[in-house]
Amino acid sequence: MDKFFNVSDIGNLDKALSEAFQVKKTPYAWKSLGENRTIMLVFFNSSLRTRLSSQKAALNLGMNPIVLNIGTDSWKLETSMGIVMDGDKSEHIKEAIPVIASYCDIIGVRSFAGLQDREYDYAETVLNQFIEYGGKPVISLESATVHPCQAFADLITIEEYRKVARPKVVLSWAPHPKALPQAVPNSFAQWMNAAPVDFVITHPRGYELDPKFTAGARIEYDQMKALENADFVYAKNWSCPGVTDPSKYGQILSKDMGWTIDDAHMAVTNDAYFMHCLPVRRNMIVSDSVIDGPKSLVIPEAANRVVSAQVVMKRMLESLNDGEGI
């Protein structure tokens, strides 16, 4: 494995899940795999779970993790081409990436969408430059359009807690005071479409996600109807994806608190589990009573972030070691 962006990069999902549960049961069984290997975790944006889970996963595999916070631990990086660098950015990403790559074996990158230029964001401009100029395996630790480590952890969690062979999983938009990217819902939709679940997405009109991530999912604009008989409810805000009108990309079209997941919403489900990637705005995304309730999976879900990251790193290390005849 030389990159991890999309569900297709993980291959057979049954095999990946089986491997995930092996890793979860015996996390140190592959400690020698990463001996004398270094992973560089590059953060353009803030993080809690991604930072800690990635470091823990690397340590479980015997790797040396180095965390680089762009703009605080390093110079600010210019990511656009062909511009005069007369602003506050002192170094260009075209030089920075090969330098970073020379110090490590695997690179993890976290770089959010700017939500100003849809074409720039959806081209995954920053992430693809790490591939082009780094020459090392690259993991998306959340990029402009995807968050695969989160979606893989979500799938592991659903597999652990499902009570039926084909559970109904609902992704519900919820209100938020700030404009947020679409990376988490994009990846969640992509992974659920590939999994053996009955997948439904519900959101106000105008929040339609890019079809390249949602194709195959059922879209229901009536939230309460979508939630009927759900086994898992995944709440998440996202700003306007601008699919039909790029001029609205990144805008907040609604703050309707009627979409907040509360007891009344959960009452129409099949005693569903509640999921969210965290951090969460309490009493906007979800009520205290739901997130603190017995069916909330937000903490086990977060714990599985170590497992998903470790499976990906393990596969990359195996590919690297096989290539060197180890």
Side-chain angles (χ1 to χ4, degrees):
M1 179 186 285
D2 60 0
K3 66 180 176 69
F4 183 61
F5 298 172
N6 300 300
V7 66
S8 57
D9 297 324
I10 204 72
N12 183 279
L13 281 185
D14 288 337
K15 184 177 179 181
L17 285 169
S18 177
E19 190 172 350
F21 290 120
Q22 288 178 344
V23 164
K24 188 165 185 173
K25 185 177 180 180
T26 56
Y28 308 111
W30 298 271
K31 189 88 173 177
S32 62
L33 197 59
E35 186 178 5
N36 298 324
R37 296 288 193 184
T38 298
I39 183 168
M40 188 76 71
L41 304 172
V42 182
F43 288 86
F44 288 82
N45 304 97
S46 300
S47 173
L48 190 153
R49 278 147 297 276
T50 298
R51 182 186 305 269
L52 298 179
S53 63
S54 299
Q55 288 179 270
K56 176 60 174 168
L59 291 168
N60 287 353
L61 292 166
M63 276 196 289
N64 301 306
I66 299 175
V67 176
L68 178 65
N69 300 298
I70 300 299
T72 55
D73 297 339
S74 75
W75 304 108
K76 289 184 179 180
L77 296 184
E78 177 57 62
T79 60
S80 298
M81 298 296 175
I83 70 167
V84 176
M85 290 178 58
D86 58 356
D88 65 342
K89 296 175 181 176
S90 305
E91 186 162 7
H92 201 283
I93 198 168
K94 196 169 184 179
E95 288 80 58
I97 291 173
V99 170
I100 289 168
S102 72
Y103 301 149
C104 65
D105 303 282
I106 299 172
I107 304 173
V109 183
R110 184 176 178 92
S111 178
F112 291 171
L115 297 179
Q116 300 297 318
D117 184 336
R118 188 181 195 280
E119 184 177 355
Y120 181 91
D121 287 344
Y122 272 71
E124 288 290 6
T125 305
V126 174
L127 204 61
N128 282 321
Q129 286 181 101
F130 275 88
I131 293 176
E132 183 177 358
Y133 303 126
K136 298 291 174 67
V138 175
I139 303 171
S140 169
L141 301 178
E142 186 171 1
S143 60
T145 68
V146 293
H147 197 349
C149 290
Q150 179 65 55
F152 188 13
D154 295 335
L155 179 60
I156 293 167
T157 307
I158 289 171
E159 182 66 16
E160 282 184 305
Y161 286 88
R162 68 181 174 89
K163 297 176 181 177
V164 295
R166 189 178 178 84
K168 180 179 179 181
V169 179
V170 179
L171 169 63
S172 177
W173 179 92
H176 196 281
K178 296 174 61 178
L180 298 185
Q182 300 98 43
V184 169
N186 281 346
S187 278
F188 187 75
Q190 187 184 61
W191 284 69
M192 290 303 105
N193 279 334
V197 303
D198 177 15
F199 182 50
V200 181
I201 305 174
T202 184
H203 55 71
R205 294 186 183 276
Y207 280 97
E208 292 78 9
L209 295 164
D210 195 307
K212 74 177 181 179
F213 299 109
T214 63
R218 180 159 62 92
I219 311 299
E220 174 56 66
Y221 295 104
D222 185 328
Q223 186 191 30
M224 296 301 283
K225 184 177 179 181
L227 293 172
E228 288 178 358
N229 299 314
D231 298 293
F232 295 88
V233 175
Y234 197 109
K236 183 70 180 79
N237 174 267
W238 62 90
S239 61
C240 177
V243 175
T244 57
D245 185 355
S247 68
K248 294 183 178 179
Y249 174 61
Q251 293 183 11
I252 296 174
L253 304 181
S254 173
K255 290 185 181 180
D256 184 355
M257 295 291 287
W259 283 77
T260 300
I261 301 296
D262 58 16
D263 291 330
H265 290 82
M266 297 300 286
V268 304
T269 71
N270 184 29
D271 194 23
Y273 289 103
F274 174 80
M275 301 179 70
H276 188 278
C277 60
L278 301 182
V280 65
R281 299 271 184 150
R282 283 174 174 254
N283 302 307
M284 282 209 74
I285 298 290
V286 58
S287 68
D288 287 336
S289 58
V290 171
I291 195 170
D292 291 333
K295 304 308 292 282
S296 174
L297 296 181
V298 295
I299 303 305
E301 186 182 356
N304 279 332
R305 289 293 307 278
V306 176
V307 181
S308 63
Q310 189 167 337
V311 171
V312 173
M313 293 177 192
K314 173 179 172 287
R315 290 190 176 190
M316 287 186 170
L317 287 169
E318 289 169 342
S319 296
L320 287 170
N321 292 347
D322 287 346
E324 295 179 4
I326 296 176

